[in-house]
Amino acid sequence: MAVLRDVLLVGAWAVARGRTSLRGASTLVGDRWQRLPEWAAWVSEVGYWAAGLRKEGSNAVVALSVPTRDYLAVLLTYGVVNRASQAEVVPAESEQNFEQAECLPVGNCVRVIPVKGPGQGRRVYTGVFGGAIQNHHGRVYELAGSKSPGRRPGPISWFPADDYRLQLLRWPDLPEDYRGSNRFSEELEIPVGAEDLLAGQMTDFYGRCSLHSVVVGVRNTVLAEAQLVVGAAGGPALPLQELLRLRAVRSPGSHYRSVVLSSRGDPEEYRDVVRSCQPAVAVLDGAATVRRWLGAGLAGVTVAVVERTSPAALAAVDELYGNRARSVADLDVPRDLGSRIPPGVELLAWKGRGTAR
């Protein structure tokens, strides 16, 4: 069976610029702890590296040929999120004070987050923006359920502008997702143990809402695999889901850093709207997904996972080689990744034409 034959081991990058915190971590198997295998840490470092490629501003494809794809998507996504957690905070225009929010059109999906009070146990609220107005309560944000044809809008909630800031939720939240609801409420808290597994500033990372990565695959499988419990050496354990904050497209009221799209969906339905949110990486989980979604170019960097046992493997590899033939040049794999490629795994990367949106 044809596989990705060309493996670039050493090049311009001296290192992958950041060891994963999964190195040396353990996972709970049944009622016993065991060390995560070396290949798991290596896969997460590939995701970390891929997220760094996005900063160069060009399109890129990272292709992985593997014996089986189990857990690869969530491990790659962990690497992406770990890298993203170290980046600068979300651009200022995504978080607005009262004066800025006054100009925001009514009807957008927004989150109001507290800017005062203790760091733990605070609540954030998401819903449909009703306005930033001055009333007898003072300057307040109005959050209400969306309006259905022929029906009155849902109940109104007021949030003091001095105590809250507004975040605009561009996607995947849509006003109709909130129909019939006043608002959704969540705890704004940093999971215990997150600081041992993510390298960035936890308050910034968990206090803001942005799209870092998109995973395309079998949704229920990816979400189930994200429940993998891990713990840094000597630290508390938690599911990777609490780090990744993976969510399905229609999960209103949920923070998100990464979104899972079903591989059975139509790539054209999501391509433009995902691109507009500028995620760092799109992970295509499995050969059939690669074959169908590679051309969608959802993000500046695409990580394509092809499992060689899949009936669609040959077609997926042909699709990848066709994409590579149209590329500008191959990308050099960092030395510390290339020298530790797990047995049975092949890695290849190339730079696409044009610039990433």
Side-chain angles (χ1 to χ4, degrees):
M1 179 177 290
V3 296
L4 302 177
R5 293 173 289 273
D6 302 308
V7 181
L8 305 176
L9 297 180
V10 181
W13 285 58
V15 295
R17 297 187 180 273
R19 292 288 185 182
T20 176
S21 299
L22 288 189
R23 187 168 300 283
S26 298
T27 184
L28 191 61
V29 179
D31 58 354
R32 299 184 61 185
W33 286 97
Q34 66 182 42
R35 194 80 169 264
L36 274 174
E38 170 64 22
W39 65 263
W42 182 87
V43 168
S44 70
E45 289 176 18
V46 172
Y48 189 101
W49 171 56
L53 292 175
R54 175 67 177 85
K55 290 187 175 181
E56 298 179 7
S58 62
N59 293 310
V61 176
V62 177
L64 280 170
S65 169
V66 297
T68 176
R69 50 136 303 280
D70 290 348
Y71 291 97
L72 261 65
V74 295
L75 292 169
L76 288 164
T77 304
Y78 162 77
V80 174
V81 170
N82 193 21
R83 182 70 176 249
S85 75
Q86 301 172 60
E88 295 180 1
V89 297
V90 180
E93 61 267 18
S94 68
E95 185 170 320
Q96 305 179 25
N97 59 29
F98 185 83
E99 288 74 19
Q100 294 169 315
E102 280 187 306
C103 303
L104 183 65
V106 170
N108 286 279
C109 294
V110 296
R111 166 173 289 128
V112 288
I113 62 168
V115 293
K116 295 183 179 180
Q120 296 290 331
R122 297 177 296 170
R123 300 198 74 80
V124 296
Y125 301 89
T126 53
V128 178
F129 183 58
I133 61 177
Q134 185 93 27
N135 69 0
H136 62 282
H137 296 290
R139 302 195 311 175
V140 296
Y141 301 113
E142 174 188 329
L143 208 60
S146 61
K147 186 175 182 179
S148 303
R151 297 180 61 186
R152 300 178 65 183
I156 293 173
S157 296
W158 307 103
F159 297 89
D162 290 340
D163 296 337
Y164 290 88
R165 292 293 180 267
L166 209 66
Q167 294 178 350
L168 179 62
L169 306 184
R170 300 182 184 277
W171 188 83
D173 300 82
L174 298 171
E176 52 263 33
D177 296 334
Y178 294 87
R179 182 166 295 144
S181 299
N182 178 22
R183 65 193 184 191
F184 285 87
S185 166
E186 299 175 274
E187 291 288 340
L188 177 59
E189 60 183 359
I190 300 170
V192 176
E195 66 277 3
D196 296 326
L197 292 167
L198 293 176
Q201 294 295 320
M202 295 296 97
T203 301
D204 284 338
F205 183 73
Y206 282 95
R208 289 171 171 81
C209 185
S210 63
L211 186 64
H212 284 157
S213 60
V214 176
V215 183
V216 186
V218 180
R219 186 183 64 184
N220 291 340
T221 299
V222 173
L223 292 174
E225 290 175 347
Q227 300 306 315
L228 178 70
V229 174
V230 297
L238 72 167
L240 281 180
Q241 165 67 358
E242 293 193 27
L243 301 177
L244 307 180
R245 303 199 314 195
L246 278 164
R247 59 172 281 185
V249 175
R250 293 293 177 257
S251 300
S254 172
H255 299 31
Y256 63 96
R257 289 289 175 179
S258 303
V259 171
V260 184
L261 295 177
S262 171
S263 57
R264 295 176 180 268
D266 182 359
E268 291 300 319
E269 182 180 352
Y270 295 107
R271 179 169 57 184
D272 290 339
V273 71
V274 173
R275 279 178 171 177
S276 70
C277 294
Q278 300 183 334
V281 174
V283 177
L284 306 184
D285 186 27
T289 305
V290 169
R291 183 183 179 190
R292 187 173 187 188
W293 286 79
L294 183 64
L298 297 175
V301 179
T302 299
V303 179
V305 179
V306 175
E307 74 280 32
R308 290 191 292 273
T309 57
S310 168
L314 285 172
V317 168
D318 287 344
E319 187 78 19
L320 286 167
Y321 275 120
N323 185 288
R324 183 190 177 200
R326 299 187 296 272
S327 68
V328 174
D330 286 332
L331 289 172
D332 297 318
V333 175
R335 182 183 298 114
D336 57 341
L337 288 181
S339 63
R340 297 183 292 108
I341 296 179
V345 174
E346 296 171 295
L347 172 64
L348 180 64
W350 55 89
K351 180 179 179 180
R353 298 187 181 277
T355 57
R357 298 186 182 183

